[in-house]
Amino acid sequence: MTSAPDYSTLHHQIILESLAELNEELKCRGGTIYIYHREVIDVLISLRDQLGPYLLLSHQETGNAVTYDRDRAVKRLCQSLGVRWQELPYNGIFRGLKTRREWDQRWQAEMESPLADPRFERAQWYPLDPLRYERERGVEQCVHSTD
């Protein structure tokens, strides 16, 4: 992803700053964020090895061909690993529409729907060994917590 022509170091900086801020909020609730600097497929396999089947939550990506191909690979991997993947819409894009007929009504309904209210008090936080994948495969260690 970071080598894509439409990705810049500014993107990376904004993402890291956002994750650091989110991590501060999650710490108060017993969670932490791990940042992996490698392909998402490798990360998801490592998580499956450590956690067993899990629920993967993400927003619906609306990027370029690189992100579309990545999402298709993630979908195939999740299906093969028994991982449930739930993509949440976030910008009024509705995937798979054959026509734009009634798009405006769907968009209006989406914009008027209540915001998500995550119940962090019910969250189950799992400690991870973020370097397990690297040790098992002899890969250069390239992960860190935002702490």
Side-chain angles (χ1 to χ4, degrees):
M1 292 298 310
T2 57
S3 61
D6 58 349
Y7 187 87
S8 74
T9 55
L10 180 59
H11 288 107
H12 194 71
Q13 181 181 355
I14 291 169
I15 291 167
L16 288 177
E17 289 173 7
S18 299
L19 289 173
E21 187 174 319
L22 180 59
N23 193 49
E24 288 302 314
E25 293 292 323
L26 289 177
K27 274 196 232 178
C28 299
R29 294 170 170 86
T32 191
I33 293 177
Y34 297 95
I35 299 172
Y36 293 81
H37 296 277
R38 59 176 197 259
E39 293 299 320
V40 68
I41 297 298
D42 295 336
V43 173
L44 296 176
I45 291 169
S46 179
L47 292 174
R48 173 59 168 78
D49 290 348
Q50 293 183 62
L51 301 173
Y54 56 89
L55 170 62
L56 173 63
L57 295 173
S58 71
H59 69 275
Q60 286 182 345
E61 181 70 45
T62 54
N64 56 26
V66 173
T67 61
Y68 180 69
D69 291 343
R70 182 210 50 217
D71 285 358
R72 289 176 33 192
V74 167
K75 182 178 182 177
R76 286 189 302 272
L77 179 73
C78 287
Q79 290 170 340
S80 72
L81 295 178
V83 170
R84 186 170 154 236
W85 183 25
Q86 184 178 354
E87 293 180 279
L88 305 169
Y90 76 103
N91 62 1
I93 302 294
F94 301 102
R95 288 184 175 170
L97 293 180
K98 303 294 184 214
T99 176
R100 291 185 61 85
R101 187 178 319 127
E102 299 180 12
W103 173 87
D104 54 341
Q105 292 94 344
R106 288 183 70 179
W107 182 87
Q108 192 65 40
E110 181 71 26
M111 295 302 114
E112 293 174 355
S113 65
L115 295 176
D117 184 15
R119 304 288 182 193
F120 287 109
E121 65 274 4
R122 295 187 316 198
Q124 296 178 358
W125 304 104
Y126 296 96
L128 297 175
D129 176 0
L131 301 179
R132 176 179 172 178
Y133 180 90
E134 284 83 356
R135 282 195 307 273
E136 290 176 354
R137 290 161 181 84
V139 177
E140 178 183 332
Q141 295 182 359
C142 48
V143 64
H144 63 275
S145 172
T146 57
D147 291 338

